[in-house]
Amino acid sequence: MADRMGMLIDASKCMGCRGCQVACKQWNDLPATKTAFSGSYENPPQIEGNTWTKVKFSEDRQSDGTVSFRFLKVQCMHCTEASCISVCASGAATRMDNGYVIIDQNKCIGCRNCVLACPYQAVAFDPATGTSRKCWSCQNRLENNLQPACVKTCPSGALGFGKREDMLALAKKRAQELKTAGKDAYIYGEKELGGTNIMYVLDAPPKVYGLPENPKPATAGVSTNWMGVLVGAGIMAFAPFKILFSDKSTGVNKTPEAGVNKNA
Amino acid sequence: MHEADWSIIIAFYLFVAGMGVAAFYTGVLANLFSNDKYPRLAKYGSYIGVPLILLGVLMLVFDLGRPEAFWRFLFHLNPSSTMSVGVWLLTAFSIISVLNALTWLAEDAGESSVLAMFKDKPGLRRATGLTGLAFGILTAGYTGVLLSSTSTVFRSITPLMGMLFLVSATSTGIAVLMLALAWRKEDHHIIQKLAKADAVVIVFEVIIFVLFLINLNTATPEVAAAILSGSYSLLFWVGVIACGLIIPLVVELYSMSSGKGLSSSAAVPAIASVLILIGGFLLRYVLLFAGQSPL
Ligand code: SF4
Ligand code: SF4
């Protein structure tokens, strides 16, 4: 198995220029979308079938009344416990040897299960192709020993790319630097969902940046839910049907019905 | 605004599929426990269930981004995907229920029909009835498990969603059976029995619903608030709770306890049934859309 690669996004260095957003569109041949002003320079408002990465703007109102802007590049996190893979019924969403999660466009039938299941809203349906699409971490660049297009473009040094373990070490070092400088520091993606290939260094709690604090994979409750179905089936078959309809004698048996009426 | 990724078609699909399988299995259950006293219920359930489930499958297929590629569903099994498991359940149920319906049709079609090969096959009817019962119950539950495992909002409120959808589907299945019986002017006593069964089912549903909402309120208070007092509250209280649960329950209890005069009118259970169907659809609608609200 190839080395597991990863990306580090240092939110404390991001200045919100959206170079990554444009570079992604260019490299992956994604058309622009026409959007309307939504009250914020954040644009488009969410990840789309043809917008695989974007910079999310969050306003963080401080206790003294000032507002600080937080910028966060978002895209598929390439989770270890990837919800998209576990819900995909056609086998289109898969993990590659190098740890990245991709959606095979020939196999995807556009059922959008993955779109609903992704804890990061990082995959979206593209009406133009009839399929769900998302960041594939520029596999065709990686194969040629190039960095993903977004990393290559970033002018502020907020994006780093390399072996995941190296990126994690870098994240820890950066967090330490921030703390030494008297700032808050958080690392996101080290443990979440089994560890994601994309990791963040944040200078405010993940919640402020709109990241889920405790993401759950889609497999979390499936078996208990099925147990619930069986229990429900058992109770129902027994109470209404067995009691009401069982007629061992001929004619209508009154007694059991009376019992049910009391319960009801 | 972000368009919902799962549209109203999916709400219809969850509703129609649940109602269809439940009409089938409630008919089979009633007949089974009564020692073949109500074959009529099994027959009606089969006649109603088959077209509904096929309609449901069609809706599912046409809502895909690439309907022409739906066959990929059938060439792949991903046990961790509720959708994948569900597609297989649906397929199995469709085949079984069609065979079951054919055994009834052959009887109704009379002599010299093309269906002669399905005539007088009590063994086949029983076997398909029983397996259809099992697959039907699992399919009804699947509609809920699907939503709870897929929607990030509902992931935390296990294990109640599958149970809720199963019980609600059962209520809609009984309702559509009652409607059919009332329409065909069948024996009123059978309708009364179904109404009683339905009243019990509704009581279960109310209990599960309360627990469900308590869980939801703990896990994602924003979504619980949207349902209980926010943008979905009107549909929820008037549609789901009043139309779907409380009014039919009161009507059913009342017609049970009242004297012959009112209770022998087919209109009363028919009204209750229509309300149950409306409420059943709205339940799925509200949960489907609330389940897609961004957190
Ligand atoms: S972020 Fe979403 S799309 Fe990406 S791997 Fe995780 S679940 Fe799949
Ligand atoms: S939309 Fe495509 S990738 Fe997503 S779950 Fe459905 S088939 Fe799989």
Side-chain angles (χ1 to χ4, degrees), chain A residues 76-79 82-84 101 118-120 122-123 134:
Chain A
C76 169
M77 299 287 281
H78 299 276
C79 319
S83 297
C84 53
V101 177
C118 171
Y120 299 101
V123 48
K134 68 171 192 70

Side-chain angles (χ1 to χ4, degrees), chain B residues 16-125:
Chain B
V16 167
M19 174 167 58
V21 292
F24 185 94
Y25 69 68
T26 47
V28 172
L29 272 178
N31 192 35
L32 184 73
F33 285 131
S34 66
N35 277 330
D36 280 332
K37 220 173 138 228
Y38 301 105
R40 219 137 252 219
L41 285 181
K43 176 164 108 181
Y44 278 33
S46 191
Y47 282 175
I48 298 169
V50 168
L52 285 179
I53 201 72
L54 297 181
L55 176 67
V57 171
L58 278 183
M59 286 176 155
L60 176 64
V61 168
F62 281 105
D63 194 53
L64 292 176
R66 294 168 62 206
E68 75 287 356
F70 85 96
W71 54 267
R72 285 195 183 275
F73 267 159
L74 298 173
F75 282 80
H76 190 79
L77 176 65
N78 176 359
S80 72
S81 160
T82 313
M83 191 62 154
S84 185
V85 172
V87 164
W88 283 95
L89 287 174
L90 276 172
T91 311
F93 180 85
S94 305
I95 296 170
I96 293 166
S97 60
V98 165
L99 286 175
N100 185 273
L102 285 176
T103 69
W104 295 109
L105 261 183
E107 219 172 76
D108 285 353
E111 297 304 316
S112 76
S113 81
V114 279
L115 295 169
M117 61 176 292
F118 289 100
K119 207 159 177 232
D120 292 327
K121 289 271 189 323
L124 178 65
R125 179 179 293 167

Side-chain angles (χ1 to χ4, degrees), chain A:
Chain A
M1 188 154 163
D3 272 328
R4 190 170 169 195
M5 305 302 277
M7 187 196 293
L8 181 67
I9 302 174
D10 187 340
S12 70
K13 287 188 183 163
C14 175
M15 53 190 188
C17 74
R18 292 184 286 201
C20 49
Q21 206 170 314
V22 177
C24 175
K25 290 245 176 196
Q26 278 184 330
W27 180 259
N28 293 302
D29 260 332
L30 301 170
T33 32
K34 207 168 155 53
T35 52
F37 183 65
S38 62
S40 155
Y41 288 113
E42 178 175 340
N43 198 30
Q46 71 274 319
I47 295 268
E48 300 167 316
N50 54 28
T51 305
W52 298 345
T53 188
K54 59 164 267 188
V55 179
K56 186 167 175 166
F57 292 21
S58 318
E59 286 173 29
D60 185 11
R61 204 167 287 278
Q62 309 293 327
S63 45
D64 62 4
T66 59
V67 173
S68 56
F69 266 106
R70 310 279 181 186
F71 304 120
L72 193 72
K73 175 187 182 306
V74 292
Q75 71 295 302
C76 169
M77 299 287 281
H78 299 276
C79 319
T80 299
E81 293 166 9
S83 297
C84 53
I85 299 181
S86 37
V87 300
C88 182
S90 75
T94 45
R95 182 180 310 282
M96 306 187 33
D97 270 351
N98 58 9
Y100 284 105
V101 177
I102 55 157
I103 294 180
D104 183 334
Q105 293 297 306
N106 291 320
K107 288 191 181 162
C108 174
I109 61 179
C111 71
R112 286 157 285 185
N113 272 257
C114 54
V115 177
L116 256 73
C118 171
Y120 299 101
Q121 284 96 46
V123 48
F125 180 71
D126 188 344
T129 56
T131 54
S132 295
R133 304 170 79 191
K134 68 171 192 70
C135 158
W136 65 322
S137 196
C138 299
Q139 294 302 320
N140 53 355
R141 291 177 62 95
L142 263 50
E143 279 160 16
N144 293 296
N145 292 319
L146 294 169
Q147 298 180 318
C150 52
V151 179
K152 180 90 172 97
T153 300
C154 181
S156 71
L159 305 182
F161 179 78
K163 283 189 201 159
R164 184 175 186 272
E165 50 191 287
D166 296 346
M167 288 301 114
L168 187 58
L170 186 62
K172 291 190 168 146
K173 187 168 149 260
R174 259 308 278 170
Q176 201 49 54
E177 282 170 20
L178 283 170
K179 280 189 181 143
T180 317
K183 294 196 180 135
D184 260 2
Y186 301 81
I187 296 176
Y188 189 94
E190 181 183 5
K191 305 227 170 62
E192 282 78 6
L193 296 169
T196 52
N197 281 11
I198 315 297
M199 290 171 292
Y200 289 111
V201 171
L202 307 171
D203 51 5
K207 213 183 161 95
V208 172
Y209 280 99
L211 288 168
E213 305 244 29
N214 228 331
K216 288 210 177 80
T219 40
V222 177
S223 44
T224 45
N225 237 306
W226 279 115
M227 288 302 294
V229 170
L230 295 182
V231 172
I235 300 175
M236 250 178 12
F238 189 75
F241 289 99
K242 175 115 175 81
I243 297 178
L244 276 174
F245 285 92
S246 62
D247 264 331
K248 283 175 197 92
S249 57
T250 47
V252 184
N253 191 343
K254 287 277 183 220
T255 344
E257 289 164 20
V260 169
N261 273 340
K262 254 179 252 153
N263 286 344

